[in-house]
Amino acid sequence: MTTRPRTLFEKIWESHIVRPQTADTPAVLYIDLHLVHEVTSPQAFTQLRERGLSVRRPNQTIATMDHSTPTTPRGLDGLIPILDPQAGAQLAQLERNCLDFGIPLFKLGSDKQGIVHVIGPEQGLTQPGMTIVCGDSHTSTHGAFGALAFGIGTSEVAHVMATQCLLQNKPRTMEVRVDGQLQPGVTAKDIILAIIAKIGIGGGTGYVFEYTGSAIRALSMEERMTICNMSIEGGARAGMVAPDETTFSYIAGRPHAPQGADWERAVEQWRTLPTDEGATYDAAISLDAGTLRPMITYGTNPGMGMAIDQPVPDPEALGDPSQRAALDKALNYMGLQPGQQLLGKPVDVVFLGSCTNSRITDLRMAAHVLRGRKVAPNVRMLVVPGSQQVKQQAEAEGLRDIFVEAGAEWREAGCSMCIAMNEDKLEPGQYAVSTSNRNFEGRQGKGGRTFLASPLTAAATAIKGKITDARELV
Amino acid sequence: MEPITTFSGTCVVLPIENIDTDQIIPARFLKATDKQGMGDHLFADWRYDEGGQPKPDFVLNQPEAQRAQILIGGHNFGCGSSREHAPWALQGFGFRAVISTYFADIFRNNALKVGLLPLMVAPEAHGQIIALCTADPGAQLTVDLDAQQVLLPDGTAVSFPIDPFAKYCLLNGVDQLGFLLSQDDAIAQYEDQHTARVTTVLH
Ligand code: SF4
């Protein structure tokens, strides 16, 4: 028995070693759950076919359709129409691949379909202590359950399909400690935007984050997912939160959760996962949640963020020429001036959705602000639930009616305007306040300009038609 | 995979910080189910105008760029999405290496898997290489993978780190999937000792 104190990360890492790391070779790491979607998998399946390989553990693999699926309302036939032939071909290819290789699939139109990082937790597939991968960088989301979850590329998708393993060098760990109590109107999204603004988008490169502290403990699972989701935006491949009672009660009773005596055994084991007293991290940062204000981004990467009532920074104030050029380029793209206030700036679109903020609590938060109010006439607001299950629940709770009565569009589940692979995109030059995770140039449509913010800020902005501090309205 | 040892070539200089994979290849080009033609979409939104015509002032549209083998980016290259389409597009255009001061983890992994070399060099050397290749677009750099060095025309050698296993695979044309498949006994043994933590099939 080892008595050395270990972090959450180390415990999971060590329990998944098939072959230890040596001076010459990375570790062979076992993967418990592989999530698959239509965009990053086709070429991996092709590789399997070319080499005559099968999927080693189809029953530890699950596929969904999310990135290129339309989110337009169903036709009279109850089907979601696919108008883009290329997207249609890609979706058909995934269906064929899943059939050929025996992989369970939540296809478009089924009642479990949704964004890959929404459905895993929702179905109880995401559990503490597991290793989870997906050909998608926001796989970090699942770390909210105390799992080691990270994004991989298509070559590695093929590796996991064929061997259920990955070659990995052990990453370093960083404790991201958030203590204190959030003020009203300030959310989990603001915590993570503040962290990324503080460390920069490369600040976590090479690290796995573990979020600790009283502010993290106080968050719901959905809020923890919002935070872990954007770990990659700080450069960290994975972010984790140690499992606790909040975690267990979220998982209990979900379709793939352990049942009966298995449940008791699982919880007992999950309780051993949190970082031991005295264990050390390779690096640490901290943040006081009590001092946070709602955050918004002003630039073209998620690290270019500030409190919503601050002025846009001035490139001239930056000493480093490369950073100055980067900020200059970003403000030029965004059509913003140094020193400008973003509060009061008119926007064209408000997008409520994405694997960061499309779960039931996110929709409730926004609906709370929108109840009995109207979306401003100059604004198009899209509400895109993260999954069919979220959609059904929101409809049952009456949230759909609140959104529709306010004048927002109520859509089918998918990635939608987070990535603009379907018809949901910004027009060149349009401004959007978006609850998604990336404000890169053109991310939400070629020439489109994105302000990342929380669901509260998004809802408040939709009502006023201009960037608004939600604290005025809640 | 073809072994990679040394090669020489000219460079394209694109010294922008934090070039993300959405710029390298915008998402609307990810609907393909193969790897064909990705090079045509490399940096599409910076490279083409609204009408789809090449913008003459963008570096990739200069005649010299067609023959270049090395892309020099700004700090923190390849952040954002995990799309392997990014290294495929860079390779499709003809690049065999990218030089930066550091790379996002997933991009670096993806690049090494497909034989595109992510060459991480010290900031001073990075500045020196940019100055050199900007002043003389015909300057040839030589990449020596075994020695882990980039050789400049004046004989200066700039070293870069690389994961030893990835280096071994690249030098010998060994593919990593083959290595993993050879671990079958160890994987089977692990599976015997650990019942699956979850199943995606509902009974
Ligand atoms: S919602 Fe956006 S970030 Fe999340 S998986 Fe879809 S495209 Fe990626």
Side-chain angles (χ1 to χ4, degrees):
Chain A
M1 271 301 279
T2 167
T3 50
R4 180 179 61 86
R6 294 182 302 166
T7 61
L8 167 64
F9 162 78
E10 287 176 298
K11 292 179 192 183
I12 301 178
W13 176 267
E14 287 168 12
S15 63
H16 287 79
I17 296 292
V18 169
R19 184 181 190 271
Q21 189 167 336
T22 68
D24 300 325
T25 53
V28 176
L29 191 73
Y30 195 76
I31 303 303
D32 293 316
L33 178 65
H34 186 193
L35 308 160
V36 172
H37 64 80
E38 72 273 22
V39 173
T40 55
S41 65
Q43 297 85 351
F45 283 111
T46 301
Q47 209 189 341
L48 295 191
R49 284 199 179 89
E50 281 169 2
R51 298 175 70 140
L53 297 167
S54 56
V55 171
R56 184 181 179 97
R57 293 282 164 220
N59 57 355
Q60 288 170 240
T61 313
I62 188 105
T64 186
M65 298 177 169
D66 54 2
H67 281 68
S68 62
T69 54
T71 63
T72 34
R74 290 168 197 252
L76 293 174
D77 53 3
L79 299 176
I80 301 164
I82 303 173
L83 300 177
D84 175 353
Q86 239 198 326
Q90 192 173 53
L91 296 169
Q93 185 68 50
L94 180 65
E95 201 173 342
R96 176 85 254 158
N97 288 335
C98 288
L99 206 66
D100 286 358
F101 290 91
I103 296 171
L105 165 69
F106 298 150
K107 58 187 250 191
L108 185 65
S110 82
D111 71 342
K112 290 179 178 169
Q113 175 266 342
I115 305 174
V116 64
H117 311 307
V118 176
I119 60 154
E122 182 173 272
Q123 294 301 319
L125 289 162
T126 300
Q127 295 170 20
M130 293 187 8
T131 47
I132 301 174
V133 297
C134 173
D136 193 285
S137 60
H138 292 102
T139 308
S140 59
T141 312
H142 307 262
F145 290 79
L148 175 61
F150 53 91
I152 55 178
T154 297
S155 294
E156 290 176 317
V157 168
H159 292 185
V160 179
M161 284 176 173
T163 67
Q164 205 59 31
C165 289
L166 276 178
L167 291 162
Q168 289 289 302
N169 290 312
K170 192 175 176 184
R172 290 169 291 173
T173 54
M174 188 186 295
E175 179 181 23
V176 180
R177 188 169 192 88
V178 190
D179 284 312
Q181 202 177 347
L182 287 173
Q183 300 291 316
V186 186
T187 68
K189 182 67 166 284
D190 303 304
I191 294 180
I192 188 63
L193 285 174
I195 290 168
I196 301 163
K198 179 173 170 144
I199 64 172
I201 57 169
T205 304
Y207 289 98
V208 166
F209 288 164
E210 183 182 339
Y211 300 97
T212 64
S214 58
I216 302 294
R217 285 288 134 227
L219 298 175
S220 69
M221 285 316 297
E222 287 88 347
E223 293 169 312
R224 293 179 190 180
M225 284 190 253
T226 297
I227 290 186
C228 288
N229 172 275
M230 289 190 72
S231 303
I232 183 70
E233 259 54 71
R237 273 181 92 179
M240 329 172 73
V241 175
D244 58 13
E245 297 308 317
T246 306
T247 321
F248 309 146
S249 60
Y250 179 96
I251 301 171
R254 292 187 182 264
H256 292 267
Q259 315 281 337
D262 285 346
W263 171 258
E264 301 302 326
R265 260 196 304 277
V267 172
E268 195 183 319
Q269 202 269 319
W270 294 342
R271 285 190 205 282
T272 67
L273 288 170
T275 295
D276 298 327
E277 184 85 31
T280 53
Y281 301 88
D282 298 306
I285 59 163
S286 65
L287 196 77
D288 177 2
T291 61
L292 288 182
R293 288 171 282 166
M295 295 288 294
I296 193 162
T297 61
Y298 52 83
T300 52
N301 73 51
M304 293 179 172
M306 62 182 188
I308 196 162
D309 50 6
Q310 276 186 324
V312 171
D314 186 351
E316 292 306 317
L318 294 175
D320 178 71
S322 172
Q323 282 179 9
R324 200 183 312 140
L327 181 54
D328 222 19
K329 183 174 188 299
L331 295 187
N332 191 31
Y333 181 85
M334 292 296 292
L336 298 174
Q337 300 302 320
Q340 184 180 348
Q341 286 288 334
L342 290 185
L343 283 174
K345 181 169 181 56
V347 303
D348 307 290
V349 174
V350 169
F351 174 63
L352 177 60
S354 90
C355 57
T356 314
N357 282 128
S358 66
R359 297 180 182 82
I360 192 70
T361 53
D362 300 309
L363 302 194
R364 282 182 197 146
M365 224 189 302
H368 178 71
V369 180
L370 279 161
R371 186 189 305 271
R373 294 185 168 121
K374 291 280 180 217
V375 173
N378 62 310
V379 168
R380 176 186 182 203
M381 182 178 189
L382 283 90
V383 183
V384 185
S387 69
Q388 293 294 337
Q389 294 287 307
V390 170
K391 180 166 179 268
Q392 282 174 17
Q393 190 177 349
E395 287 171 352
E397 290 181 13
L399 304 184
R400 171 192 184 276
D401 297 338
I402 295 172
F403 290 122
V404 171
E405 277 160 27
E409 295 175 31
W410 180 247
R411 313 285 295 213
E412 292 292 332
C415 296
S416 180
M417 203 183 270
C418 171
I419 190 162
M421 283 187 71
N422 64 5
E423 291 75 19
D424 310 338
K425 45 187 157 219
L426 296 178
E427 299 297 324
Q430 279 191 323
Y431 284 105
V433 164
S434 176
T435 65
S436 55
N437 44 48
R438 287 187 174 141
N439 52 349
F440 297 143
E441 287 182 27
R443 169 79 179 189
Q444 297 196 279
K446 190 175 174 181
R449 302 185 276 199
T450 301
F451 300 109
L452 299 175
S454 74
L456 284 180
T457 304
T461 298
I463 293 162
K464 299 283 186 185
K466 52 191 187 183
I467 294 175
T468 300
D469 188 333
R471 291 174 298 180
E472 290 173 23
L473 293 172
V474 288
Chain B
M1 195 147 60
E2 289 288 301
I4 301 171
T5 49
T6 64
F7 59 89
S8 302
T10 54
C11 302
V12 167
V13 184
L14 192 59
I16 296 169
E17 270 195 24
N18 303 322
I19 292 178
D20 60 81
T21 54
D22 274 271
Q23 305 318 311
I24 299 172
I25 183 161
R28 62 183 181 280
F29 301 113
L30 310 188
K31 283 178 253 179
T33 51
D34 57 23
K35 303 181 187 178
Q36 299 310 310
M38 293 285 166
D40 296 340
H41 309 311
L42 180 67
F43 292 111
D45 286 351
W46 291 351
R47 191 167 150 201
Y48 305 108
D49 65 18
E50 275 79 76
Q53 295 306 308
K55 295 183 190 170
D57 55 345
F58 185 62
V59 297
L60 283 194
N61 295 324
Q62 322 273 295
E64 306 88 71
Q66 303 308 315
R67 292 184 304 275
Q69 306 222 18
I70 301 165
L71 177 69
I72 307 171
H75 308 303
N76 189 29
F77 190 92
C79 56
S81 138
S82 67
R83 60 191 70 167
E84 202 165 296
H85 310 67
W88 298 338
L90 287 159
Q91 278 183 322
F93 187 85
F95 291 119
R96 302 179 68 186
V98 181
I99 296 178
S100 177
T101 49
Y102 65 104
F103 292 88
D105 287 330
I106 305 181
F107 176 85
R108 194 193 54 230
N109 270 321
N110 288 344
L112 288 169
K113 297 279 185 303
V114 301
L116 175 75
L117 298 182
L119 307 178
M120 188 170 114
V121 301
E124 307 78 61
H126 182 245
Q128 191 188 349
I129 295 171
I130 289 176
L132 178 102
C133 297
T134 309
D136 175 11
Q140 294 255 343
L141 305 191
T142 299
V143 177
D144 183 339
L145 177 57
D146 194 24
Q148 295 184 210
Q149 284 179 338
V150 180
L151 301 169
L152 311 190
D154 67 358
T156 312
V158 175
S159 61
F160 59 85
I162 190 165
D163 167 60
F165 181 70
K167 175 179 171 179
Y168 165 82
C169 291
L170 292 166
L171 280 174
N172 297 287
V174 171
D175 95 289
Q176 300 197 12
L177 177 54
F179 176 83
L180 266 176
L181 287 165
S182 75
Q183 304 298 309
D184 189 58
D185 288 350
I187 300 170
Q189 196 185 357
Y190 182 92
E191 287 177 332
D192 283 347
Q193 289 164 359
H194 302 81
T195 41
R197 290 177 178 85
V198 74
T199 169
T200 53
V201 181
L202 278 181
H203 299 291

